[in-house]
Amino acid sequence: MLEIVGKYQHVVTHKPEVFIKLVGEKVTPERLEALSNGESFLTVKYDDDCWTFTATVGMFWQRSIRFTLGKTFIEGNRRAKTTATRDGNIFTFSSTVGSKGFQRIYEFSEAGVIVTLIDFSGEKAERIFRRFEC
């Protein structure tokens, strides 16, 4: 069985401006630079039926979500109502803010993880991470 828990290092972001917008942040040159070229990690932990996904971009930005599969939780500044599900090596986070919906899909493999964000209109962006070895 594939090991999901661990640390992953950012390799590339496809459409970084779209990614920033979809996570609810303002697109600025500094954020674009940090997302595209900064030291960026995704850390995944699992403890007693709770998962924690922590994204770190450089030294200035960190966001963690702690969740139980199948249970709705509130996340982020936008107060998104989110439910996470898992199908094998794929985690899907389905969120709504008001009447707008979006998804984050984390597809794990032996090599790393691909994070895809898709909004209600079909606009999407991707971040690719590789497994981090100390």
Side-chain angles (χ1 to χ4, degrees), residues 72-120:
T72 300
F73 60 97
I74 304 298
E75 74 170 305
N77 295 336
R78 295 186 297 172
R79 311 280 303 150
K81 290 182 182 178
T82 302
T83 304
T85 58
R86 180 180 181 185
D87 183 11
N89 65 324
I90 298 173
F91 285 73
T92 301
F93 293 80
S94 299
S95 302
T96 57
V97 176
S99 63
K100 296 182 180 183
F102 58 96
Q103 286 188 321
R104 288 189 319 276
I105 301 165
Y106 292 72
E107 185 172 354
F108 291 89
S109 69
E110 291 296 333
V113 59
I114 298 173
V115 181
T116 305
L117 270 71
I118 307 169
D119 79 353
F120 67 97

Side-chain angles (χ1 to χ4, degrees), residues 26-98:
K26 183 178 177 184
V27 178
T28 65
E30 294 80 16
R31 284 195 176 114
L32 281 170
E33 177 66 23
L35 191 64
S36 299
N37 301 317
E39 237 352 64
S40 212
F41 293 94
L42 172 66
T43 304
V44 178
K45 296 179 181 178
Y46 180 73
D47 183 39
D48 197 28
D49 281 342
C50 273
W51 290 90
T52 304
F53 284 26
T54 302
T56 306
V57 178
M59 297 177 2
F60 306 104
W61 187 86
Q62 179 174 307
R63 180 175 291 161
S64 290
I65 54 171
R66 186 171 167 83
F67 61 93
T68 300
L69 293 172
K71 293 187 178 180
T72 300
F73 60 97
I74 304 298
E75 74 170 305
N77 295 336
R78 295 186 297 172
R79 311 280 303 150
K81 290 182 182 178
T82 302
T83 304
T85 58
R86 180 180 181 185
D87 183 11
N89 65 324
I90 298 173
F91 285 73
T92 301
F93 293 80
S94 299
S95 302
T96 57
V97 176

